[in-house]
Amino acid sequence: MKRSVIGLGVLAVGGLTIGLTGCAGGGGSSADDGTLRIAYQKTASFTAMDDLMKKVKGEYEKEYPDRKVELVPIEAEQDQYFTKLALMNGSADTAPDVIYEDTFQIRSDAAAGYLQPIDEYLDEWDDWSLYDDGAKQAGLGDDGKTYGVSLGTDTRGIYFNKELLQAAGLPADWQPESWDDILDAARAVKETSPDVTPLNIYAAKAAGEATSMQGFEMLLYGTEDELMDTDSNKWITGSQGFLDALTFYQTAFDEGLGPDPADALDAAWGSKVQNELLPQGKLAIAIDGSWLPSGWISGDNEWPGWNDTLGLAAMPTQDGGGDGFTSMSGGWTLAVGAHASDPQAAFDFIAQAMTPENALTYHEEAGQIAVRSDVASNQEYLDYNPSFEFFSSLVEYTHFRPATPDYSQISSNIPVATESVITGQATPEEAQKAYDEALVGIVGEENTQAG
């Protein structure tokens, strides 16, 4: 992640201008004057965190009248959010006290000195006992200390337009059993509904981790290969599964089954998929995350008919082997910034954000799979979103990204590979070779093994 020292006053990054008030001179975060700076992501399709933070700010300032909260919503898609957050973290004068932090960034950001451990505060927090072991593991750094409190987890599967697939001769309860079944369904849709996009799978560098996780890894982890060998803890080069996943991309885009590459390269493509293409019936099949329906249940992009229009299917493995299905899981946390001069105050804000009421509301609105026992068993949560049951059922098939500090850097080379394939700049073999070379350059040849 890029590091940069930013001066006092205004932070301007990539067209985003954030006014920073209450910054103390001579280092230290905004907590020096009793103000907590809270940095988090906000997009056209993701406003749940903004809603939560506004609510918590009011509750927190009422509970602690001597403290003030400054909310810093960073309006950017995922990779741009990471970049802008890294710039804020580059200086004690602009660093947040509380950070909305992706689990896959925890280890690298802790190692980079952006976060501070919170174990001593968790020991005094009764609610910590309600979190499942997986959620607790997600917040660990390489040193075994905890750096983040999980906001929930997610899975990934397939959304499909029942009407479009039925017009193509496929059943309303379609469940593909292989990659070929997905491609064949997309081909049938292209034949019967030529004005719609048959299939979306994220493929561009601009989509960042969405391409890596919602796209490529949903394919790779359905083969016999993964990114890293968990027994040897070595990164894999030259695997057949990696090549086959890239070949799937080549087939889908060469046959015109995916979006026009010019559209796929748009950084806002994910928001368009959720808020325009699926609701408007312009996309037949989408490999995507469990959180999408949260934006359709209420808010500016409400879509009352989504549950009648769309079907849900598990992502099949390459040929139906293994467990038959696969998924990927991640999630986000709230973490305390390394420059927070009053980490207890920062943790108190996190605890307020995660009261039972706030946790339930956020899980509902953000479409999160519950990681707290009190939310997971709450009937209101279970009834709120009819997709929760389906996406929770995918947990038994799910995989997690390698939890290493260098994953973020390695992962950034996956969209380079997929984009080069869909734009015709490289064959799958050439793209794999370039990825392998970049991988060796990051981790060293001694930390890789042939697939």
Side-chain angles (χ1 to χ4, degrees):
M1 299 176 71
K2 182 179 178 183
R3 302 188 69 175
S4 176
V5 177
I6 310 296
L8 289 170
V10 174
L11 171 66
V13 190
L16 172 74
T17 301
I18 305 173
L20 297 180
T21 61
C23 297
S29 75
S30 55
D32 290 340
D33 68 350
T35 299
L36 287 177
R37 184 181 301 133
I38 317 297
Y40 57 93
Q41 184 188 25
K42 178 184 178 183
T43 70
S45 59
F46 176 63
T47 59
M49 179 54 58
D50 190 48
D51 292 340
L52 176 64
M53 293 296 94
K54 288 176 179 175
K55 182 174 185 289
V56 176
K57 170 181 163 67
E59 295 171 346
Y60 183 84
E61 289 178 340
K62 182 178 179 181
E63 177 72 17
Y64 302 98
D66 59 330
R67 301 177 187 175
K68 297 298 179 184
V69 173
E70 175 195 1
L71 300 182
V72 185
I74 300 176
E75 299 192 31
E77 298 297 332
Q78 188 160 293
D79 262 27
Q80 291 75 21
Y81 171 72
F82 294 147
T83 299
K84 293 168 183 177
L85 187 60
L87 289 172
M88 291 184 72
N89 276 320
S91 168
D93 292 326
T94 56
D97 299 283
V98 176
I99 304 170
Y100 177 64
E101 178 87 3
D102 196 325
T103 54
F104 94 95
Q105 296 278 60
I106 287 277
R107 292 187 179 229
S108 58
D109 281 0
Y114 293 158
L115 309 176
Q116 59 179 292
I118 54 175
D119 300 87
E120 64 179 292
Y121 310 110
L122 292 172
D123 289 343
E124 302 298 320
W125 189 44
D126 292 341
D127 283 18
W128 192 230
S129 64
L130 301 172
Y131 285 75
D132 63 43
D133 289 341
K136 292 180 177 181
Q137 291 290 319
L140 294 180
D142 271 355
D143 56 6
K145 297 177 181 178
T146 304
Y147 288 87
V149 177
S150 176
L151 287 156
T153 190
D154 48 44
T155 54
R156 287 144 182 80
I158 301 174
Y159 296 84
F160 62 91
N161 184 298
K162 296 182 210 177
E163 183 178 338
L164 291 174
L165 263 66
Q166 284 180 299
L170 296 159
D173 61 350
W174 177 68
Q175 173 56 67
E177 296 181 358
S178 67
W179 293 359
D180 284 342
D181 284 353
I182 297 174
L183 293 171
D184 286 343
R187 293 178 181 118
V189 169
K190 183 181 180 183
E191 184 71 25
T192 55
S193 303
D195 295 332
V196 307
T197 300
L199 169 67
N200 184 65
I201 181 168
Y202 295 106
K205 290 184 287 187
E209 189 63 12
T211 293
S212 300
M213 198 171 182
Q214 275 96 272
F216 183 84
E217 289 170 17
M218 285 288 282
L219 295 168
L220 177 64
Y221 282 77
T223 72
E224 295 182 356
D225 296 306
E226 299 184 0
L227 290 173
M228 171 183 266
D229 185 305
T230 53
D231 291 328
S232 65
N233 284 326
K234 291 188 176 183
W235 295 89
I236 299 172
T237 61
S239 75
Q240 187 62 47
F242 198 102
L243 181 62
D244 290 348
L246 289 176
T247 302
F248 180 98
Y249 275 95
Q250 182 185 53
T251 300
F253 281 82
D254 280 0
E255 293 187 21
L257 306 178
D260 185 292
D263 292 326
L265 299 183
D266 185 349
W269 181 244
S271 292
K272 291 181 179 179
V273 167
Q274 180 177 6
N275 300 325
E276 298 175 26
L277 298 183
L278 285 172
Q280 295 170 12
K282 295 180 179 178
L283 173 61
I285 303 167
I287 301 173
D288 222 308
S290 54
W291 55 87
L292 263 59
S294 65
W296 301 327
I297 291 174
S298 62
D300 293 341
N301 299 300
E302 186 174 349
W303 177 21
W306 72 270
N307 195 37
D308 296 323
T309 302
L310 298 180
L312 300 170
M315 180 71 181
T317 55
Q318 181 175 13
D319 56 7
D323 292 330
F325 305 108
T326 188
S327 186
M328 297 296 299
S329 289
W332 292 72
T333 69
L334 288 178
V336 176
H339 294 293
S341 58
D342 188 347
Q344 178 67 67
F347 182 81
D348 289 342
F349 184 90
I350 293 175
Q352 184 62 46
M354 292 287 95
T355 63
E357 178 187 0
N358 286 337
L360 173 62
T361 299
Y362 181 76
H363 277 69
E364 291 175 344
E365 294 184 0
Q368 293 288 286
I369 295 173
V371 294
R372 291 173 55 119
S373 58
D374 54 348
V375 176
S377 61
N378 189 306
Q379 195 61 44
E380 179 184 336
Y381 165 76
L382 296 173
D383 293 341
Y384 179 81
N385 185 332
S387 72
F388 279 161
E389 182 176 359
F390 169 77
F391 283 107
S392 295
S393 74
L394 301 182
V395 171
E396 66 176 296
Y397 307 114
T398 206
H399 301 84
F400 294 86
R401 298 161 289 186
T404 65
D406 45 18
Y407 170 79
S408 178
Q409 189 178 1
I410 293 165
S411 171
S412 68
N413 286 284
I414 292 174
V416 174
T418 55
E419 183 173 309
S420 69
V421 169
I422 71 161
T423 57
Q425 297 177 51
T427 65
E429 291 80 5
E430 291 167 342
Q432 181 178 36
K433 183 174 184 290
Y435 167 86
D436 287 346
E437 291 173 351
L439 175 64
V440 171
I442 294 167
V443 304
E445 191 165 358
E446 70 277 8
N447 292 311
T448 66
Q449 66 183 50

